[in-house]
């Protein structure tokens, strides 16, 4: 049996329902607190609430967690291409240069990108005529008129220029005479045209100097 003085101290204040040990006739027994004092008077009033104790210290702030290692998402699709802007205005077309004829000393000509040679000119006979050949013309046709024809040829375009002339009689034969711009040599000394309707004579001339033509060949009497 434990003696009362040896018991641990009770928590105060005591409640009416708390039990306390009582020694009766050498026997330790328990009894309620409110039985003390001979049958128990009413409990006294509750004492005032004691002052609130000081607040305990604030706990240490927790360590912030590490930032997560998230991966960058894929790049989104590109936007649509904008509409093509309007085409700028077409510049004005430059003026076309005049078509020229470029002649070489060989008697050939470049006309609008085409090389031309042995071009034929045509003139009407009758009376006194002066034929003016260009660098690109190498032969010409003289259609006989209703009267005799006297032919002169303008100055050569270059020394050595050659011309072939065809004199074709009309329905009525008329003579072709050669003017002072045409000269003869000892081999071909003169010319008398064929006096037959619709018959042709052929004559060859070469530019001898800056003003005259040498008659170097004559072929007559062609019905073509």
């Amino acid at each position: 049996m434990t003696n009362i003085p040896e018991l641990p101290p009770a928590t105060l204040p005591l409640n009416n329902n708390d039990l306390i040990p009582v020694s009766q006739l050498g026997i330790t027994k328990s009894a309620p607190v409110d039985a003390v004092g001979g049958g128990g008077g009413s409990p006294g009033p509750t004492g005032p609430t004691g002052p609130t104790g000081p607040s305990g210290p604030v706990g240490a702030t927790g360590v912030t967690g590490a930032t997560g290692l998230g991966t960058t998402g894929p790049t989104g699709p590109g936007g649509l291409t904008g509409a093509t802007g309007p085409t700028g205005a077409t510049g004005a077309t430059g003026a076309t240069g005049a078509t020229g004829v470029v002649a070489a000393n060989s008697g050939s000509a470049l006309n609008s990108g085409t090389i031309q040679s042995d071009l034929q000119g045509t003139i009407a006979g009758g009376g006194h005529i002066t034929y003016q050949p260009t660098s690109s013309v190498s032969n010409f046709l003289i259609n006989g008129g209703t009267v005799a024809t006297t032919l002169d040829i303008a100055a050569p375009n270059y020394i050595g220029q050659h011309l072939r002339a065809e004199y074709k009689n009309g329905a009525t034969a008329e003579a072709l005479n050669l003017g002072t711009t045409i000269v003869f040599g000892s081999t071909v000394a003169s010319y008398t045209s064929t006096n037959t309707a619709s018959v042709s004579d052929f004559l060859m001339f070469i530019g001898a100097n800056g003003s005259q033509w040498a008659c170097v060949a004559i072929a007559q009497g062609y019905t073509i």
Side-chain angles (χ1 to χ4, degrees):
M1 182 182 65
T2 302
N3 293 324
I4 291 176
E6 297 175 354
L7 295 174
T11 301
L12 300 179
L14 298 176
N15 294 322
N16 291 336
N17 296 326
D18 287 342
L19 301 178
I20 60 174
V22 177
S23 180
Q24 290 181 331
L25 301 177
I27 299 172
T28 302
K29 300 179 180 180
S30 63
V33 172
D34 57 4
V36 179
S42 299
T46 303
T49 302
T52 302
S55 299
V58 178
T61 302
V63 178
T64 303
T67 302
L69 300 176
T71 58
T72 303
T75 303
L80 298 177
T81 302
T84 303
T87 303
T90 303
T93 303
T96 303
T99 302
V101 176
V102 179
N105 284 342
S106 63
S108 298
L110 179 63
N111 188 356
S112 299
T114 302
I115 295 177
Q116 299 175 308
S117 62
D118 290 336
L119 298 182
Q120 177 171 291
T122 302
I123 58 177
H128 189 175
I129 59 176
T130 300
Y131 180 61
Q132 296 181 334
T134 65
S135 296
S136 58
V137 171
S138 60
N139 64 89
F140 62 101
L141 169 65
I142 307 167
N143 287 314
T146 57
V147 296
T149 300
T150 298
L151 173 67
D152 273 307
I153 305 175
N157 293 283
Y158 54 89
I159 302 301
Q161 182 178 4
H162 62 278
L163 286 173
R164 185 186 73 241
E166 176 187 354
Y167 176 68
K168 185 171 186 177
N169 284 284
T172 301
E174 295 292 343
L176 172 65
N177 302 307
L178 302 181
T180 59
T181 59
I182 300 171
V183 296
F184 295 92
S186 59
T187 302
V188 180
S190 63
Y191 167 67
T192 301
S193 63
T194 301
N195 189 24
T196 304
S198 302
V199 172
S200 295
D201 291 347
F202 290 89
L203 302 92
M204 178 64 73
F205 306 105
I206 294 179
N209 51 39
S211 61
Q212 293 175 305
W213 294 84
C215 182
V216 297
I218 298 173
Q220 295 178 265
Y222 294 88
T223 305
I224 53 176

